[in-house]
Amino acid sequence: MFSVILILLSTTSFVPIDDFAGLDAVANPTDFGFLLIMSADSIANKNMALEIVESLQFLDAGEGDISLYVVSLNASGYSEIAALAGGFGGFPAVVSLVGHCGFLELDPEFLGSEIEDAWYQWGDGSTQGICNYCTRCNP
């Protein structure tokens, strides 16, 4: 069943990452995306991935791009990443990612509206959003 989940995730453009260094290597300061932090429950993982993809269909992305990432339980940095999420009832969990550094957990009960709010707040494609306030990329 885990392989079925990976196939689903790969066909919907979820990029697997192993740790924060791997995420940092593929993300840019102007990037915006969502990270699915998987659980041991393959059905819950699949449902969460589908909900993310379905929610994106309702956004007016215009010129902006939305990146999708996934970290599995067997990834080397899973515990480090998971330590920053799961506050809304465990895993799977979803966080919005803004640039290199923005990392905000979304409430799965309201995931569709949380995704929409995150997009219109930080990911409209015309600004660096939260990165405008960060000195890592804007010293």
Side-chain angles (χ1 to χ4, degrees), residues 67-130:
S67 302
L68 299 175
Y69 303 99
V70 61
V71 61
S72 65
L73 287 165
N74 59 355
S76 61
Y78 179 86
S79 59
E80 182 182 19
I81 293 171
L84 298 174
F88 288 109
F91 299 92
V94 178
V95 296
S96 64
L97 302 166
V98 183
H100 292 286
C101 307
F103 193 89
L104 178 67
E105 183 177 6
L106 305 181
D107 186 340
E109 186 175 345
F110 305 103
L111 189 57
S113 61
E114 292 268 276
I115 286 174
E116 182 179 359
D117 289 347
W119 171 252
Y120 291 111
Q121 182 69 32
W122 298 303
D124 69 5
S126 64
T127 72
Q128 288 181 297
I130 199 170

